[in-house]
């Protein structure tokens, strides 16, 4: 393939690699970024002892060795090990009397962590973060230690989650990547520290609950704590971000600032509400759970048009974090299901006969784009934080209000930017299973779907889910994904399965997911293999005639459609081209899109479609069906096309 570059890849600085704080929803001051130059080595899978590995070459973390920005250009095969090594020095003012944690954003697929050649932790799951406490292995006097990471990646040779990676890329499957692909950082925390939190915010009553999980069991005694709540605030789009949408190389300045906090607090174990803008402050402690509850009488609701966030500072004993939450609620509703909830019924009259997706109990049409999060020089990893912001802002500028994050879990900063910019997200669970039988899950399933013949998803062999261990792993990762990302108000919908790839037991998994997170919608089976569960009747439309299958109790959506390919000279990574309904030139592409919307999609929207998802945000390798080219340099569908002109 031809190597392409985004504008951020062309000015990439190896000395300052993704320096932004990686976890904006739980921010601490003690932060040491470990991105940058590490040593690496490939060995056979039989090598398990770090002393047998000869580290002599350099890799730029967090870019996979398959990505150009890593400086390696080598694919990790299933019968190989990939080793990383770095000498780390933690500043003295950070480590004094503290515990030392190493955080990994994501390592694909399985890894073993060594500190000073001693194994200290392991992790399986190439898309989920994990933390290793290495306090006991590091000398507190000098803070210097050797960090080694051993990685194995089976890609499609096993049942592990892999998204659209393929060892032999082509068509709608892309270059397999491996190893460390999200930020690695160290932080120092006191003995008792905040592991995570979840927030519930009721838009009708104003009641807010912050459920905090602590690192140690503290029984039932209330520790010293304080909470400061900031007034509702919309983070402004910075000059750099605005200029980025106009192809400017300006850098992004973080807007997470300490100002305008209300004096809501409680100290010395006694709850004390000291601000007239909050009410009914209370706390409850049991074991490692520390729950805070209060009410905000006058609240501002989050929406894409007005993405109001409530930032807060929470201190428990010696540990302090910055976080945020929002008041918003997604639902599927029919007018006859409601009493008069403060005028809600009046706002729902336009729903007519079909259930609709609602935001804050008002009909909310989601106009979305399929976003697969690939970059030509970084693959899964963006060349800069500004690249994430650009994609979000550009789609919003074109009139879209939703991104479907497809078969990939992004770094936290992506969701943070969607939270503050105002972009709703459908989050796919990452698919896995044995190699797919496309004659069944694509061709035969398309025909069955057209004739409304339901195929049940307990045929594990045909759906590549014969392995019981693989099914258990997917279920565990699904619940972990929901727990991890539940802090982000932008996420409206969980998508469990896509086009039958590794699908199984959708009815049962839908109920498990709803029990874990009852605050979001669930698309149980996007495309086909619908099992009659979840909140959405979800269809794909690329060719043949569209037959919308309406549902009485679920909202009806087109979770993929369009995908018109256009080869753009000078901006193609591959000589091959993959897609549906090929276009000869820009004029034909824009004409086809307008005709599709006018003659097919818009009439169904008027009949009751609740959401549509166009394929896709950018070209990727062989796929040339993006709104943008792979390098984000050419906007192939013109702004006036989306405006209907």
């Amino acid at each position: 393939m031809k190597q392409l570059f985004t504008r951020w890849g062309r000015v990439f600085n190896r000395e300052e690699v993704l320096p932004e704080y990686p976890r904006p929803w739980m921010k601490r001051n003690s932060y040491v970024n470990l991105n940058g130059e590490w040593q690496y080595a490939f060995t056979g899978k039989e090598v398990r002892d770090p002393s047998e590995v000869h580290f002599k070459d350099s890799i730029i973390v967090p870019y996979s060795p398959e990505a150009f920005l890593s400086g390696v250009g080598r694919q990790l095969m299933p019968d190989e090990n990939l080793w990383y090594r770095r000498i780390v020095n933690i500043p003295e003012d950070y480590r004094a009397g503290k515990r030392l944690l190493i955080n990994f954003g994501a390592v694909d697929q399985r890894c073993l962590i060594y500190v000073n050649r001693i194994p200290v932790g392991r992790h399986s799951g190439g898309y989920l973060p994990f933390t290793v406490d290495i306090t006991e292995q590091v000398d507190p006097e000098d803070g210097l230690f050797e960090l080694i990471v051993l990685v194995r990646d089976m890609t499609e040779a096993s049942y592990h989650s892999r998204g659209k990676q393929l060892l032999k890329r082509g068509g709608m499957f892309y270059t397999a990547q491996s190893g460390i692909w999200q930020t690695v950082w160290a932080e120092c925390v006191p003995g008792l520290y905040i592991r995570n939190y979840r927030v519930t915010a009721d838009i009708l009553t104003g009641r807010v609950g912050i459920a905090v999980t602590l690192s140690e069991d503290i029984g039932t005694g209330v520790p010293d704590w304080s909470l400061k709540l900031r007034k509702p605030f919309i983070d402004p789009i910075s000059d750099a971000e605005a200029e980025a949408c106009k192809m400017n190389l300006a850098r992004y300045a973080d807007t997470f600032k300490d100002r305008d906090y209300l004096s809501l607090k409680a100290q010395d174990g006694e709850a004390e509400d000291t601000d007239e803008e909050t009410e009914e402050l209370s706390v409850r402690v049991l074991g490692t759970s520390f729950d805070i509850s209060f009410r905000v009488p006058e609240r501002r609701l989050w929406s894409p048009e007005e993405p109001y966030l409530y930032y807060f500072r929470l201190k428990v004993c010696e540990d302090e974090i910055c976080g945020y939450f929002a008041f918003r609620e997604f639902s599927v509703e029919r007018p006859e299901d409601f009493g008069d909830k403060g005028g809600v019924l009046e706002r729902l009259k336009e729903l007519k006969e079909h259930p609709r997706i609602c935001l804050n109990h008002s009909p909310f049409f989601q106009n979305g784009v399929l976003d697969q999060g690939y970059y030509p020089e970084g693959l899964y990893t963006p060349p800069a934080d500004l690249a994430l912001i650009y994609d979000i802002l550009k789609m919003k500028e074109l009139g879209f209000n939703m991104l479907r994050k497809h078969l990939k879990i992004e770094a936290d900063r992506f969701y943070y930017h969607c939270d503050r910019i105002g972009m709703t997200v459908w989050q796919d669970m990452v698919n896995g299973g044995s190699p797919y039988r496309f004659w069944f899950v694509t061709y035969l399933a398309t025909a069955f779907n057209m004739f409304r013949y339901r195929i049940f998803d307990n045929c594990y062999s045909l759906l590549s889910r014969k392995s019981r261990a693989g099914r258990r792993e997917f279920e565990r990762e699904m619940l972990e994904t929901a727990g991890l990302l539940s802090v982000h108000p932008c996420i409206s919908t969980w998508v469990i399965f896509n086009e039958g790839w590794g699908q199984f037991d959708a009815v049962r998994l839908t109920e498990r997911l709803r029990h874990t997170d009852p605050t979001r919608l669930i698309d149980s089976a996007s495309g086909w293999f619908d099992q009659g569960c979840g909140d959405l009747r979800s269809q794909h439309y690329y060719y043949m005639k569209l037959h919308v299958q309406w549902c009485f109790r679920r909202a009806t959506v087109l979770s993929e459609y369009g995908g018109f390919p256009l080869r753009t000279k000078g901006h193609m990574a591959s000589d091959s081209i993959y897609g549906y309904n090929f276009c000869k030139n820009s004029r034909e592409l824009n004409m086809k899109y307008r005709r599709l919307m006018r003659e097919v999609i818009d009439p169904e929207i008027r009949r009751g479609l609740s959401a549509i998802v166009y394929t896709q945000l950018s070209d990727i390798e062989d796929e040339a069906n993006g709104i943008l080219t792979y390098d984000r340099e050419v906007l192939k569908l013109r702004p006036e096309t989306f405006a209907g002109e």
Side-chain angles (χ1 to χ4, degrees):
M1 287 195 302
K2 176 185 176 183
Q3 182 60 58
L4 299 178
F5 296 92
T6 63
R7 72 208 65 172
W8 307 283
R10 289 195 294 270
V11 296
F12 181 74
N13 182 359
R14 293 165 58 101
E15 303 301 319
E16 191 178 8
V17 181
L18 299 178
E20 297 82 9
Y21 193 88
R23 191 186 55 204
W25 62 271
M26 192 170 77
K27 189 173 182 179
R28 287 189 177 93
N29 291 329
S30 62
Y31 160 66
V32 179
N33 191 310
L34 299 181
N35 292 341
E37 186 173 327
W38 293 45
Q39 293 176 303
Y40 81 95
F42 287 88
T43 69
K45 65 180 181 180
E46 71 281 355
V47 178
R48 304 287 293 179
D49 187 345
S51 63
E52 300 178 23
V53 182
H54 301 287
F55 296 96
K56 59 180 181 179
D57 296 314
S58 296
I59 184 172
I60 301 301
V61 168
Y63 294 96
S64 298
E66 296 84 358
F68 177 88
L69 291 182
S70 71
V72 177
R74 160 89 148 77
Q75 189 168 60
L76 176 64
M77 302 305 291
D79 60 351
E80 293 181 309
N81 288 342
L82 170 60
W83 297 80
Y84 294 83
R85 177 180 182 269
R86 174 167 175 162
I87 301 299
V88 180
N89 189 8
I90 303 298
E92 182 178 1
D93 55 339
Y94 278 2
R95 66 178 187 268
K98 300 291 184 69
R99 302 202 67 81
L100 179 57
L101 309 179
I102 303 294
N103 300 290
F104 293 85
V107 181
D108 193 11
Q109 283 172 323
R110 295 178 294 159
C111 64
L112 182 61
I113 313 300
Y114 298 84
V115 171
N116 297 329
R117 308 289 170 114
I118 299 172
V120 295
R122 63 177 65 239
H123 185 261
S124 179
Y127 296 82
L128 294 168
F130 62 97
T131 299
V132 181
D133 187 332
I134 65 169
T135 308
E136 305 305 322
Q137 284 72 41
V138 178
D139 184 350
E141 295 300 321
D142 62 16
L144 192 69
F145 62 93
E146 178 191 48
L147 178 62
I148 291 178
V149 181
L150 164 61
V151 177
R152 290 287 308 279
D153 190 348
M154 304 298 290
T155 314
E156 75 268 24
S158 183
Y159 53 70
H160 300 300
S161 298
R162 59 183 178 272
K164 296 185 77 173
Q165 302 180 65
L166 201 63
L167 288 171
K168 190 176 180 180
R169 54 152 294 276
M172 61 178 169
F173 292 93
Y174 318 130
T175 299
Q177 58 89 61
S178 58
I180 300 172
W181 66 274
Q182 288 187 22
T183 291
V184 183
W185 81 101
E187 60 182 343
C188 297
V189 296
L192 176 66
Y193 63 92
I194 299 168
R195 286 193 185 276
N196 55 54
Y197 68 85
R198 295 184 70 171
V199 178
T200 56
D202 191 307
I203 68 170
L204 296 178
T205 66
R207 171 64 60 183
V208 177
I210 304 179
V212 180
T213 301
L214 302 174
S215 61
E216 296 180 4
D217 188 328
I218 59 173
T220 58
V222 179
D224 292 343
W225 67 282
S226 65
L227 175 67
K228 295 181 180 180
L229 180 67
R230 184 177 172 180
K231 295 179 180 179
F233 179 71
I234 298 178
D235 274 344
I237 301 300
S238 69
D239 291 341
E241 293 165 344
E243 291 172 0
C245 278
K246 301 174 184 177
M247 310 300 182
N248 191 289
L249 292 177
R251 294 183 60 82
Y252 163 63
D254 202 339
T255 59
F256 195 101
K257 300 184 184 301
D258 180 12
R259 61 177 184 267
D260 299 331
Y261 281 90
L262 306 177
S263 57
L264 169 69
K265 62 181 180 179
Q267 292 180 327
D268 302 324
E270 295 294 330
E272 178 186 2
D273 189 355
T274 62
D275 195 283
E276 61 184 12
E277 297 190 43
T278 60
E279 297 176 352
E280 304 169 20
L281 177 64
S282 64
V283 298
R284 184 177 67 87
V285 180
L286 181 62
T288 60
S289 298
F290 179 56
D291 298 340
I292 306 166
S293 177
F294 56 91
R295 195 171 76 86
V296 180
E298 296 184 9
R299 51 210 164 272
R300 303 300 298 267
L301 303 185
W302 185 96
S303 69
E305 296 75 27
E306 294 184 322
Y308 280 101
L309 298 177
Y310 287 75
Y311 289 96
F312 64 85
R313 288 187 177 275
L314 173 63
K315 186 174 183 179
V316 179
C317 294
E318 298 179 8
D319 191 26
E320 184 177 35
I321 64 166
C322 297
Y324 64 88
F325 65 89
F327 283 99
R328 65 99 183 95
E329 183 177 341
F330 291 98
S331 56
V332 171
E333 305 180 357
R334 296 177 61 92
E336 59 267 30
D337 293 337
F338 292 85
D340 188 8
K341 300 179 182 178
V344 170
L345 183 60
E346 185 67 26
R347 296 196 301 273
L348 290 171
K349 286 182 177 178
E350 64 184 87
L351 292 186
K352 298 181 180 178
E353 70 276 14
H354 295 299
R356 303 288 180 98
I357 293 173
C358 292
L359 171 59
N360 302 327
H361 296 295
S362 292
F364 175 59
F365 180 77
Q366 290 187 285
N367 183 22
V369 179
L370 196 74
D371 177 11
Q372 307 204 57
Y374 269 79
Y375 299 88
E377 64 276 85
L379 299 179
Y380 266 4
T381 312
D385 192 56
L386 191 53
L388 296 173
I389 298 167
Y390 174 83
D391 284 353
I392 299 166
L393 285 178
K394 179 56 70 175
M395 293 304 105
K396 190 164 186 176
E397 181 182 79
L398 294 174
F400 296 100
N401 60 12
M402 179 260 281
L403 297 175
R404 179 183 169 191
K405 183 54 65 174
H406 193 43
L407 305 175
K408 176 194 178 188
I409 300 171
E410 284 287 2
D412 265 315
R413 290 196 66 85
F414 166 80
Y415 304 100
Y416 163 62
H417 292 314
C418 289
D419 289 338
R420 69 183 191 85
I421 291 172
M423 178 66 76
T424 59
V425 174
W426 288 19
Q427 178 61 53
D428 285 18
M429 302 302 167
V430 183
N431 58 296
S434 57
Y436 304 136
R437 293 171 167 83
F438 287 104
W439 64 266
F440 180 70
V441 297
T442 299
Y443 306 116
L444 192 59
T446 301
F448 283 163
N449 188 65
M450 185 172 62
F451 293 107
R452 304 192 180 191
Y453 181 86
R454 178 178 294 177
I455 304 173
F456 292 98
D457 62 4
N458 57 358
C459 45
Y460 297 152
S461 180
L462 287 174
L463 291 171
S464 306
R465 280 298 184 185
K466 197 171 181 179
S467 168
R468 181 176 297 178
R471 297 196 299 271
R472 286 199 302 264
E473 181 180 86
F474 177 87
E475 187 168 346
R476 173 180 59 80
E477 291 182 352
M478 176 190 74
L479 299 179
E480 287 184 18
T481 299
L484 167 71
L485 300 180
S486 64
V487 295
H488 293 288
C490 66
I491 297 178
S492 71
T493 306
W494 303 119
V495 182
I496 302 180
F497 293 113
N498 178 74
E499 296 187 350
W501 297 353
Q503 181 172 329
F504 68 98
D505 300 347
V507 174
R508 182 180 63 82
L509 293 183
T510 297
E511 291 309 308
R512 285 218 67 188
L513 182 56
R514 196 179 303 283
H515 178 76
T516 299
D517 181 9
T519 69
R520 289 176 172 85
L521 307 181
I522 299 176
D523 182 357
S524 303
S526 176
W528 27 85
F529 294 99
D530 178 62
Q531 303 297 300
C533 56
D535 299 295
L536 308 178
R537 180 63 176 93
S538 181
Q539 297 177 241
H540 292 181
Y541 171 58
Y542 288 115
Y543 39 78
M544 297 188 290
K545 187 176 180 180
L546 175 61
H547 296 277
V548 175
Q549 299 181 22
W550 302 99
C551 185
F552 177 77
R553 63 179 182 82
R554 295 182 291 167
T556 303
V557 303
L558 277 185
S559 48
E560 291 183 28
Y561 79 99
F564 299 134
L566 173 65
R567 182 186 295 276
T568 307
K569 186 177 180 180
H571 301 275
M572 293 291 297
S574 174
D575 292 332
S576 302
I577 184 170
Y578 176 85
Y580 326 95
N581 299 312
F582 295 92
C583 301
K584 297 177 182 178
N585 51 48
S586 176
R587 181 175 178 275
E588 182 181 2
L589 170 65
N590 284 268
M591 182 180 65
K592 277 188 174 181
Y593 179 87
R594 285 195 295 266
R595 183 187 302 133
L596 172 68
M597 295 302 297
R598 182 178 64 251
E599 298 178 2
V600 180
I601 305 299
D602 286 345
E604 300 298 344
I605 292 173
R606 290 192 291 270
R607 288 182 62 198
L609 273 182
S610 273
I612 56 176
V613 181
Y614 184 79
T615 303
Q616 60 181 327
L617 189 148
S618 77
D619 296 347
I620 305 174
E621 298 185 345
D622 289 359
E623 287 188 331
N625 53 2
I627 295 172
L628 295 163
T629 52
Y630 196 14
D631 56 10
R632 274 65 167 181
E633 286 299 317
V634 179
L635 181 65
K636 296 195 288 183
L637 282 167
R638 296 188 294 268
E640 57 267 26
T641 296
F642 296 105
E645 298 177 4

